[in-house]
Amino acid sequence: GENVEQHPSTLSVQEGDSAVIKCTYSDSASNYFPWYKQELGKRPQLIIDIRSNVGEKKDQRIAVTLNKTAKHFSLHITETQPEDSAVYFCAALYGQNFVFGPGTRLSVLP
Amino acid sequence: GAGVSQSPSNKVTEKGKDVELRCDPISGHTALYWYRQSLGQGLEFLIYFQGNSAPDKSGLPSDRFSAERTGGSVSTLTIQRTQQEDSAVYLCASSLRGGVEQFFGPGTRLTVL
């Protein structure tokens, strides 16, 4: 069935450094890829998304890249801040449903 | 406007009892999803409603789980004869239509003793 893999499962970076999280998906028909941030005890919040007709999208310190041929997409956070610490989930749309990756716990060390 | 709301926020029940979890989606959103999130884990898809179409129940883990969506708005997830492995946070999300940005509710934390 449809599958989304996500790496790494945990990531620690120094404040100010960049963080990169990578996801791969299995179904080439998938055409929408959102990223969610979930702080401890809170609901997931969409931070950025990308559709398959573009290769990159940027919003301030956050960017997402998509490689359709390789079926992978990545989240890039630059100039990380302590408030970026959270669990990040990627997802891929299959038909009308979403399959989520297992999550990456990002810790930004001051 | 108001976001997605869920109730109760916390539910503690005894093994074998039935529970009902409620989701109020954003007004006008035709798509509604239920997910389960076990401690420290990702989001497991349970069921999807889109308008008046038959729901996609492919993610329900057993026949003890069922869900309804009345009048295309409020949804109720029912778990019968709860088991300890049902303990998790149950998240509801809605979107304007299928396949676009989802907005999540705060979740219901279910604990089965």
Side-chain angles (χ1 to χ4, degrees):
Chain A
E2 299 87 358
N3 186 50
V4 175
E5 296 184 355
Q6 183 172 348
H7 300 280
S9 57
T10 61
L11 178 61
S12 293
V13 299
Q14 290 295 137
E15 182 178 357
D17 286 351
S18 295
V20 180
I21 303 170
K22 299 181 180 180
C23 288
T24 59
Y25 59 100
S26 57
D27 189 343
S28 57
S30 209
N31 61 6
Y32 175 58
F33 308 92
W35 284 90
Y36 288 86
K37 174 184 180 182
Q38 187 177 31
E39 297 178 57
L40 189 62
K42 297 190 176 180
R43 73 189 77 186
Q45 300 266 16
L46 181 76
I47 54 172
I48 196 166
D49 56 10
I50 191 167
R51 292 199 176 269
S52 58
N53 57 343
V54 298
E56 183 174 0
K57 184 176 178 181
K58 190 173 182 179
D59 182 2
Q60 299 182 341
R61 297 187 296 109
I62 296 173
V64 56
T65 58
L66 171 65
N67 183 328
K68 287 184 60 179
T69 303
K71 291 189 287 188
H72 67 70
F73 56 110
S74 299
L75 178 70
H76 304 254
I77 306 174
T78 59
E79 301 171 26
T80 52
Q81 301 167 4
E83 52 264 38
D84 295 330
S85 296
V87 178
Y88 291 80
F89 293 97
C90 64
L93 179 65
Y94 292 97
Q96 300 285 288
N97 294 335
F98 291 89
V99 176
F100 284 79
T104 296
R105 182 173 299 279
L106 173 65
S107 300
V108 179
L109 309 174
Chain B
V4 178
S5 61
Q6 292 185 245
S7 61
S9 55
N10 282 284
K11 177 70 176 179
V12 180
T13 191
E14 294 179 346
K15 178 180 172 182
K17 295 286 180 68
D18 298 351
V19 295
E20 283 190 353
L21 313 180
R22 176 187 169 109
C23 172
D24 281 271
I26 293 173
S27 177
H29 281 195
T30 64
L32 187 149
Y33 303 78
W34 282 98
Y35 297 93
R36 179 169 69 177
Q37 187 174 32
S38 300
L39 187 63
Q41 301 298 310
L43 282 75
E44 175 190 3
F45 165 75
L46 297 177
I47 188 168
Y48 161 63
F49 295 90
Q50 172 57 56
N52 296 320
S53 302
D56 178 349
K57 303 179 181 181
S58 60
L60 295 179
S62 78
D63 59 8
R64 296 186 296 105
F65 288 73
S66 63
E68 291 184 341
R69 189 178 184 194
T70 54
S73 181
V74 172
S75 178
T76 302
L77 176 69
T78 301
I79 309 173
Q80 295 178 309
R81 305 180 303 282
T82 51
Q83 305 294 314
Q84 288 182 332
E85 59 262 30
D86 298 335
S87 296
V89 174
Y90 288 81
L91 288 161
C92 172
S94 73
S95 59
L96 198 56
R97 60 182 187 277
V100 299
E101 179 183 357
Q102 298 182 32
F103 295 84
F104 282 86
T108 293
R109 182 175 297 279
L110 174 66
T111 303
V112 182
L113 302 177

